[in-house]
Amino acid sequence: MKLKTFPGGVHPPQYKDLTKGKPIEDMPVPIKVIIPLQQHTGAPCEPLVKVGDEVKEGQKIGESKAFVSAPVHTSISGKVTAIEPRPHPASAKDVMAIVIEKNPESAEVSARPPMLHLGTPSLQTESWKELTPKQIKEKIRESGIVGLGGAAFPTHVKLSPAPDKKIDTVILNGVECEPYLTNDHRLMLEKTSQILEGLNIILKVLGVNRASIGIESNKQDAIKVMENAEHSYEVGGRDALHGISIEVVPLKVKYPQGAEKQLIKAILNREVPSAGLPFDVGVIVQNVGTALAIYEAVVTDKPLIERVVTVTGNGIKEPKNLRVRIGTPFSQVIEYCSGFVNGVSKVIMGGPMMGLAQYTLDVPVVKGTSGILVLKDIKEESEGPCIKCGRCVESCPMSLMPNRIGDYAETDNFDLCKEYGVFDCMECGACAYVCASRRPLIHLIKYAKSRLAAKK
Amino acid sequence: MIGQAILVLGGLGLGFGILLSFASRKFAVVVDPKEEKILEVLPGSNCGACGFPGCQGLAEALAKGKTEATSCVAGGAEVTKKVAKILGVEIEPKTELVAFVACRAGIKQAKKKFKYRGLNNCQADALLFTGDKSCVYGCLGLGSCAKVCPFDAISITAEGLAVIDPKKCKSCQKCVKACPRNLISMVPRAQEVIIICKNRDRGKKAKEVCSIACIACRICEKACPQQAISIVDNLAVIDYQKCNQCAICVEKCPQKAIGVRS
């Protein structure tokens, strides 16, 4: 059978073997965390605590009144030692952050204490069904859940489409097309039923009865596990699944297959209009990690205080899939993975295609940190002039002309960049990956976007 | 043969000549003589600092009385005087200003946070963790200001710092807008004692990021006999109205963040 996919795209080497066979490991609770007040797209939070306050694991410490925002919670119990701007792995500027340190006497670094007041279900597993969609959304918001695929868009906003948009399908995104990353893959294998339950909660909130789970065909085990689990649901005849159809869709291995718009095109053959959102074609896409977080928030009242991070690359001694508390500094995560090998040249948050290079290891793991990639011995290739080979145009999944946009950005012709659709670009990096002259096309595109935004 | 050619070409020339002279009278565009005169005295660099499309545009606006005689910033007092004479108006002399980059910390004083590889342009550098310089207020030295200067007054030193030649600066203020860190300000041309720092971090942090940053120690504030210096938001600021340029503060500053401009 021909696998479904989208036009354009590239085939970078996968490098997933480093971690894909390694079960998720719980990292010991750190003695210090840095919780930035902005870890999501939207308005930053205001702190709810003061320096010197004692806080308890899972307590809400930052909140915003704005709709497009998500509260933040402390991931350890301890004392607030500072509230000040700190480096943030995904922000151009230092971001206000709450620093929490554990009391030295109660510091248990080696063992991971069970989350006593968090892990126990406050509801019977089935009783979330009695909640109204509004109550569920309120719970999701209160738990600070954002999209865990990387963009960190507040989930309750995504689950609140405009009333005039008719949603008919939910897509669960288990594609994980970024090379190296395996956290979603491991979650699908290890937390299958919880993810499916999370999907049911999403379906209930939206009142939709059709869902697709998109998984790249390089994850055959995950496809199988998901299909089996979904069958057992149907065979078991659980109430939640009455009239609900869930389909697992294996997809061609191609980057960026996991991008929202490309996933919709591949599975449903619908095209999201320029400057539009998946709402406009009746679809909502959620990452598998987000579905799990929704399950944990709604069924077990656990706020988003930890996430799975793939620590990988040829520059790290022991690559791992780790469950890390939000706010743990990168330096500690790397130390837990036995540190760097010699000759490390780059530490990237995220994958190699869209990830962001870091200049300090003092940055904390945030809600959007899907991976920490450490690379050694990177060749510094010098860029040349565009030779008009057209490979970037061919590879662009949004059918743009990155060569033109890059040229215009370089010569400060920002209006022309806009005309050539710079705002439709999602910065997937396919163009820069294939560029024969090694032109920094994404840098140029980001620069053009920032200059256009400053003009407004 | 030759006779014929002369006749034909000469005839054509004569015919067109008559036609053109007729047309130039019939369709003549009346130009305000003032406008022409003003255009002659304007610098002609078309820098655009006045906000009009080039010198021609300003000359037209001046002649029609749409703008003030002092509009030409690049020309300075001399041009203003001539323009006022043509327009027949009185003007009060303005303090002449000059652009100044308030940072003198090169790579030795303020280290690089990381190696920046990208567009040779300060705005693009500032997108990445506010730029590669450890001090988030300092000069990035990629020359975005130098690129927009119509008078070639800005140069970038080997240390990675933008320096403005006051002799060449015509105070068009284009560089002020180009700097992503708002480091360039307009100061009176006569003012020589000046704060060469924009760092608003607290003392300890300021020292961490740059060895010659203003640490807001208040020594200058106390030493100034004119009470012209005050610390605003962790940074020393001189009130140019009060300052008599005795340069005592320059002596006293432990960080050498106050200097005498050449």
Side-chain angles (χ1 to χ4, degrees):
Chain A
M1 193 187 88
K2 202 165 171 270
L3 291 165
K4 289 181 170 180
T5 193
F6 65 98
V10 292
H11 298 274
Q14 297 284 308
Y15 298 114
K16 294 202 190 238
D17 293 338
L18 284 170
T19 49
K20 79 174 184 192
K22 294 190 176 172
I24 297 168
E25 201 179 310
D26 283 328
M27 188 176 151
V29 176
I31 49 164
K32 185 178 130 184
V33 289
I34 304 157
I35 315 266
L37 284 165
Q38 182 159 31
Q39 302 182 35
H40 49 264
T41 309
C45 294
E46 293 296 326
L48 299 175
V49 289
K50 302 184 302 293
V51 174
D53 283 4
E54 289 284 341
V55 290
K56 229 172 141 198
E57 179 183 73
Q59 184 185 331
K60 186 158 77 174
I61 52 171
E63 167 76 297
S64 163
K65 286 197 179 69
F67 179 61
V68 185
S69 185
V72 292
H73 303 77
T74 170
S75 54
I76 61 170
S77 301
K79 201 180 210 175
V80 178
T81 55
I83 301 176
E84 60 189 17
R86 288 288 179 112
H88 185 290
S91 164
K93 282 193 180 125
D94 287 5
V95 169
M96 276 308 254
I98 299 178
V99 184
I100 295 157
E101 274 174 60
K102 210 173 198 177
N103 300 330
E105 55 266 32
S106 69
E108 294 172 60
V109 202
S110 51
R112 181 188 175 86
M115 285 192 267
L116 284 176
H117 58 293
L118 299 169
T120 41
S122 66
L123 292 159
Q124 290 301 312
T125 336
E126 296 287 309
S127 61
W128 62 265
K129 286 173 196 124
E130 282 146 32
L131 298 172
T132 64
K134 209 181 156 202
Q135 284 170 321
I136 295 176
K137 269 195 265 180
E138 193 45 44
K139 260 191 142 174
I140 290 173
R141 188 202 151 104
E142 276 304 299
S143 306
I145 294 176
V146 301
L148 296 181
F153 193 76
T155 300
H156 66 279
V157 182
K158 219 171 169 180
L159 294 178
S160 311
D164 57 318
K165 308 276 188 215
K166 184 86 190 74
I167 306 297
D168 60 16
T169 310
V170 171
I171 295 179
L172 203 56
N173 188 347
V175 176
E176 201 162 56
C177 58
E178 272 272 2
Y180 287 100
L181 302 186
T182 55
N183 50 330
D184 287 351
H185 185 179
R186 288 312 308 179
L187 279 178
M188 284 191 283
L189 293 178
E190 295 174 30
K191 298 275 180 186
T192 322
S193 60
Q194 288 93 325
I195 289 172
L196 284 173
E197 196 73 355
L199 175 61
N200 278 330
I201 297 171
I202 296 168
L203 291 172
K204 158 136 190 186
V205 171
L206 295 165
V208 173
N209 57 15
R210 198 168 83 140
S212 298
I213 305 173
I215 305 175
E216 260 186 359
S217 61
N218 59 356
K219 292 181 259 297
Q220 285 301 335
D221 46 353
I223 295 174
K224 208 165 280 167
V225 167
M226 277 288 174
E227 271 173 350
N228 288 342
E230 165 217 321
H231 284 311
S232 72
Y233 262 46
E234 274 166 8
V235 173
R238 307 250 308 248
D239 295 342
L241 289 165
H242 267 320
I244 288 177
S245 80
I246 299 177
E247 179 199 16
V248 177
V249 188
L251 297 161
K252 194 173 165 183
V253 181
K254 189 161 77 171
Y255 181 87
Q257 183 62 73
E260 217 167 47
K261 291 172 184 174
Q262 280 57 41
L263 192 56
I264 296 169
K265 173 79 185 158
I267 294 182
L268 301 168
N269 198 22
R270 294 184 197 168
E271 204 163 295
V272 179
S274 172
L277 288 168
F279 291 163
D280 296 318
V281 290
V283 186
I284 280 178
V285 182
Q286 291 286 354
N287 176 269
V288 286
T290 318
L292 176 65
I294 290 173
Y295 165 83
E296 290 180 334
V298 175
V299 179
T300 69
D301 274 345
K302 182 184 145 193
L304 186 57
I305 58 166
E306 56 181 5
R307 68 156 296 148
V308 180
V309 177
T310 304
V311 188
T312 182
N314 58 8
I316 194 102
K317 278 195 185 137
E318 277 182 63
K320 278 177 177 156
N321 292 302
L322 282 180
R323 191 173 285 111
V324 184
R325 299 287 169 113
I326 303 286
T328 310
F330 274 29
S331 51
Q332 284 190 30
V333 179
I334 285 161
E335 203 179 296
Y336 184 70
C337 294
S338 306
F340 292 143
V341 300
N342 285 335
V344 163
S345 44
K346 229 175 210 183
V347 176
I348 294 166
M349 182 186 87
M353 297 298 281
M354 282 189 82
L356 303 162
Q358 302 296 318
Y359 74 91
T360 165
L361 295 178
D362 295 336
V363 290
V365 167
V366 292
K367 291 175 184 174
T369 307
S370 47
I372 299 174
L373 173 62
V374 185
L375 297 173
K376 66 163 191 172
D377 303 332
I378 297 178
K379 268 185 281 167
E380 280 197 11
E381 284 168 280
S382 54
E383 69 173 276
C386 174
I387 56 165
K388 314 278 186 286
C389 66
R391 275 154 76 175
C392 55
V393 182
E394 220 174 291
S395 71
C396 180
M398 297 303 289
S399 307
L400 302 173
M401 296 172 78
N403 55 337
R404 287 292 179 89
I405 297 174
D407 283 349
Y408 292 138
E410 207 166 33
T411 48
D412 286 7
N413 271 322
F414 302 116
D415 291 332
L416 277 168
C417 290
K418 202 174 167 188
E419 219 169 281
Y420 274 80
V422 71
F423 283 113
D424 282 323
C425 169
M426 55 171 162
E427 299 162 15
C428 72
C431 53
Y433 177 75
V434 295
C435 180
S437 293
R438 296 269 158 258
R439 283 177 51 73
L441 289 163
I442 298 302
H443 178 59
L444 288 162
I445 286 168
K446 283 186 179 174
Y447 170 61
K449 281 185 184 174
S450 79
R451 291 299 296 270
L452 280 164
K455 253 192 200 175
K456 269 181 214 157
Chain B
M1 271 306 259
I2 293 170
Q4 268 177 350
I6 289 170
L7 266 179
V8 170
L9 288 176
L12 277 172
L14 195 69
F16 284 128
I18 291 166
L19 210 72
L20 279 173
S21 65
F22 175 74
S24 74
R25 279 189 200 176
K26 174 90 180 162
F27 304 112
V29 181
V30 189
V31 181
D32 193 334
K34 266 194 224 162
E35 189 182 320
E36 276 180 356
K37 273 191 202 160
I38 293 169
L39 189 57
E40 264 170 44
V41 298
L42 289 180
S45 58
N46 294 321
C47 70
C50 54
F52 291 93
C55 296
Q56 173 87 53
L58 177 62
E60 202 182 317
L62 281 168
K64 285 185 184 149
K66 279 187 193 163
T67 182
E68 280 170 39
T70 49
S71 295
C72 179
V73 268
E78 215 169 291
V79 170
T80 309
K81 218 186 283 171
K82 285 181 191 163
V83 170
K85 204 177 161 197
I86 297 165
L87 291 171
V89 291
E90 290 281 321
I91 42 140
E92 275 179 37
K94 261 208 283 192
T95 341
E96 237 188 285
L97 298 175
V98 66
F100 178 72
V101 185
C103 179
R104 56 188 187 107
I107 24 178
K108 281 195 201 105
Q109 290 85 10
K111 298 266 182 302
K112 297 274 179 195
K113 284 193 285 199
F114 53 88
K115 202 166 150 195
Y116 170 71
R117 289 180 67 217
L119 269 181
N120 199 19
N121 169 328
C122 303
Q123 281 101 343
D125 188 0
L127 288 179
L128 299 160
F129 303 106
T130 64
D132 60 351
K133 198 170 202 144
S134 54
C135 171
V136 298
Y137 301 94
C139 175
L140 289 168
L142 292 177
S144 284
C145 52
K147 271 169 221 152
V148 296
C149 179
F151 306 103
D152 200 17
I154 309 180
S155 53
I156 305 296
T157 65
E159 290 257 275
L161 280 176
V163 176
I164 301 178
D165 181 352
K167 285 186 200 88
K168 287 186 186 165
C169 175
K170 305 278 186 200
S171 71
C172 72
Q173 308 196 11
K174 280 198 162 177
C175 52
V176 176
K177 285 176 209 133
C179 179
R181 298 201 147 175
N182 296 322
L183 260 184
I184 307 179
S185 50
M186 304 307 293
V187 296
R189 195 177 274 273
Q191 180 74 28
E192 284 179 350
V193 174
I194 210 151
I195 314 274
I196 321 179
C197 185
K198 287 266 183 188
N199 189 307
R200 288 186 182 81
D201 288 327
R202 293 178 146 225
K204 189 172 165 247
K205 172 111 192 269
K207 251 189 173 160
E208 261 168 38
V209 296
C210 173
S211 61
I212 51 168
C214 170
I215 50 170
C217 62
R218 296 186 182 265
I219 290 176
C220 53
E221 195 183 52
K222 285 173 204 139
C224 180
Q226 305 290 320
Q227 272 99 47
I229 307 182
S230 53
I231 303 286
V232 182
D233 204 6
N234 293 323
L235 178 67
V237 178
I238 299 180
D239 182 342
Y240 301 134
Q241 302 288 328
K242 288 185 192 162
C243 176
N244 66 353
Q245 310 210 44
C246 63
I248 288 173
C249 51
V250 180
E251 297 266 307
K252 298 268 177 176
C253 179
Q255 289 291 94
K256 302 282 165 234
I258 312 179
V260 176
R261 195 167 54 82
S262 52

